[in-house]
Structure formats: C-alpha cells, structure tokens
Amino acid sequence: DGGITQSPKYLFRKEGQNVTLSCEQNLNHDAMYWYRQDPGQGLRLIYYSQIVNDFQKGDIAEGYSVSREKKESFPLTVTSAQKNPTAFYLCASSMGLAAYNEQFFGPGTRLTVL
Amino acid sequence: AQSVTQLDSQVPVFEEAPVELRCNYSSSVSVYLFWYVQYPNQGLQLLLKYLSGSTLVKGINGFEAEFNKSQTSFHLRKPSVHISDTAEYFCALYSGGYNKLIFGAGTRLAVHP
C-alpha cells in the first residue's frame, strides 16, 4: 500500500527539549511538506522540499528545522526556540509543486509540551 | 495578498438534509481551488479541485462545488448528508507565486440523526 506514515502519533516534550517528528512516503513523490494545525486556524506551512537536499521556508519556519537526505524521508525537528510548539503536525507529499499535483497527507503527529 | 475565508466555523445539519459550506477567496491572479476533508485525528483527504474548465466540479462522496469568479466564491454542496459526513472541511487556494496552498480556517460539519 502506498502512502505517508508519520510517527509517533502522540508526542510529549518538556520545555527546552528538541524533538524530531518522522515523515516517510513510498509514493515516489518529489515534493514534501510540513504543516502545523491549530484549532480555528487551518493549516500553516512550515517547510517544503521540492527535491532531495533542497528545502524552503514556509510561513512559520522559526523554531523548526528540516532535512531531506532521502527522497522518501522529510523529518521535522521542533527546537527549543519554538515558543508555542503544542499543535497537530501534518506531513504531505506530491509529485511536484504545481497546482495540479494533489497533496497527499499523513495521519499527523500531536505534539504536547508539558 | 491571497487569502481564503470560510464563512462558517460550524454548520449543524440533520441527516439527509442538504448542506452548503461557504468559501470566499481573494486573489489577483489565476486561481486554483481545493476542498479537503479531515476526520477526527486524521490527515486531510482531497474532496475536489478546480483548476480550469467547467465551473461545476464534482468530487468524491457526492460532494460538488461551484467556482464563481464574479463573487470570488467556491462553495461546497451536498444534496443529502449522512452521519459519516461529520468532519472538518477546509477550502484552500493554490498560490503559484509561492508554491503553496493557503488554507481557510475550516468549517466543522456536524450531522445529527
């Protein structure tokens, strides 16, 4: 079955700690994305990557970092510099960046800072 | 600036009744519009999209939407809803200049028996 997996499903972090969220896809997609979802605010783009070893900041990149060493993987690190990291994080992928390429979403990771 | 406004944060409706979820957009360039559905604690699934051509777009699960350029709207409709349609629905606009989707805040559809 082709799709996107995110792990873990739930993640708890103490203030001041960095934490990494995993995103893997086996759809052979070039483009991958990270979104943050907060209640009543829709989804906001954190980072996106068009191709391996390349990524671009989205609207709310501060306090986050990513890497794209493999086509299948696009991990997101939430650093201690992110002031309010508690949120639902969604990873997505698509064939390319153009509008006609549907974005497929993973099931999400819910991060809670204690 | 490009933006998406979903006019209702919550829409309650009885089973088998029709429903319309409203979406307005703002853009000075060509638009590409999408509707996504999100079931509780899950990712998003594409319902339908408008890229060009016919302004009436049909999607999955019996949903359809109409692109109205003069009113800058892309409302989602379904003639008869089921309990299983209870979910959050997001309207989104593709911004070609920035290679990203711009999402509305979402509309929570609650279908009651």
Side-chain angles (χ1 to χ4, degrees):
Chain A
D1 271 342
I4 301 175
T5 57
Q6 291 186 242
S7 61
K9 187 172 178 66
Y10 298 96
L11 186 58
F12 298 90
R13 188 195 94 174
K14 293 182 180 179
E15 283 193 25
Q17 286 182 336
N18 291 357
V19 63
T20 298
L21 282 59
S22 169
C23 176
E24 303 277 334
Q25 55 98 359
N26 61 4
L27 299 168
N28 199 32
H29 285 169
D30 285 316
M32 297 187 74
Y33 314 79
W34 274 106
Y35 293 92
R36 171 179 170 139
Q37 184 178 14
D38 295 282
Q41 293 192 44
L43 278 70
R44 292 180 290 169
L45 184 64
I46 305 172
Y47 270 98
Y48 68 97
S49 168
Q50 188 174 2
I51 200 169
V52 174
N53 292 324
D54 182 66
F55 47 83
Q56 305 295 328
K57 292 182 180 180
D59 297 318
I60 56 166
E62 184 175 353
Y64 300 97
S65 65
V66 294
S67 63
R68 186 87 187 276
E69 298 175 0
K70 297 186 302 181
K71 187 175 184 177
E72 304 80 19
S73 179
F74 192 42
L76 173 74
T77 297
V78 184
T79 74
S80 56
Q82 170 49 234
K83 299 304 180 188
N84 184 20
T86 293
F88 191 51
Y89 291 87
L90 288 161
C91 178
S93 72
S94 64
M95 287 293 292
L97 295 181
Y100 51 78
N101 292 306
E102 177 182 347
Q103 289 190 23
F104 293 83
F105 285 80
T109 292
R110 188 167 298 280
L111 173 63
T112 303
V113 174
L114 304 173
Chain B
Q2 294 175 306
S3 65
V4 175
T5 302
Q6 292 184 242
L7 298 166
D8 306 290
S9 59
Q10 297 187 60
V11 173
V13 64
F14 287 109
E15 194 173 18
E16 297 184 5
V19 70
E20 178 181 81
L21 307 183
R22 297 180 295 166
C23 173
N24 285 355
Y25 68 90
S26 173
S27 176
S28 58
V29 297
S30 297
V31 293
Y32 308 101
L33 294 159
F34 305 79
W35 275 100
Y36 285 85
V37 61
Q38 183 181 34
Y39 299 102
N41 291 313
Q42 293 186 27
L44 276 66
Q45 180 183 10
L46 181 66
L47 277 177
L48 49 80
K49 61 185 176 184
Y50 171 78
L51 300 181
S52 65
S54 173
T55 57
L56 183 62
V57 181
K58 293 190 183 296
I60 62 171
N61 301 342
F63 284 94
E64 64 180 32
E66 186 161 16
F67 171 64
N68 189 318
K69 188 174 182 179
S70 63
Q71 297 189 11
T72 61
S73 68
F74 190 55
H75 300 334
L76 182 71
R77 302 184 181 99
K78 187 170 183 178
S80 175
V81 294
H82 303 288
I83 296 288
S84 59
D85 292 322
T86 294
E88 188 146 23
Y89 292 80
F90 291 95
C91 182
L93 166 72
Y94 182 80
S95 172
Y98 297 96
N99 293 321
K100 67 176 185 180
L101 285 172
I102 299 169
F103 286 86
T107 297
R108 190 171 299 275
L109 175 65
V111 182
H112 301 284

